Amino acid sequence: MTYDPEANAYYAHHDWSDQGSLSVTLITALAEIADADPTEMRRLGAHVNPDALDTLFEPRTDGESRSAGRLELPVDDYHVTVYADGEIVIRP
């Protein structure tokens, strides 16, 4: 994860070829920003259905990546934007 002080934003990326889920990538990024253990973080499910988030941008059944779309949502004190290509932008 990287931080851009000019944009006041953290950037993470979900690798769709990895075994992990998008929701785990997001909660791990939020925990890193908050300097907290991911298991101690407030449940992501209080803000969005993790299963729906995981399937929203996953590759199509033919394996082709989704190239367009984004989801914006508040998570605790952060504004989170998740893009179809796996980019995650988190702003305090």
Side-chain angles (χ1 to χ4, degrees), residues 35-72:
D35 194 26
D37 184 320
T39 60
E40 295 175 1
M41 297 287 295
R42 190 168 157 201
R43 291 193 61 229
L44 184 61
H47 305 283
V48 66
N49 179 316
D51 292 331
L53 177 62
D54 291 341
T55 59
L56 183 62
F57 298 125
E58 72 183 3
R60 301 173 198 276
T61 55
D62 65 1
E64 186 176 327
S65 297
R66 298 186 190 274
S67 60
R70 74 173 185 246
L71 173 68
E72 297 184 37

Side-chain angles (χ1 to χ4, degrees), residues 14-16 18-22 24-25:
H14 178 71
D15 181 0
W16 293 107
D18 188 19
Q19 294 293 332
S21 66
L22 177 58
V24 170
T25 300

Side-chain angles (χ1 to χ4, degrees), residues 11 18 34 37 84 87 91:
Y11 298 89
D18 188 19
D37 184 320
E87 182 179 19
R91 290 187 169 83

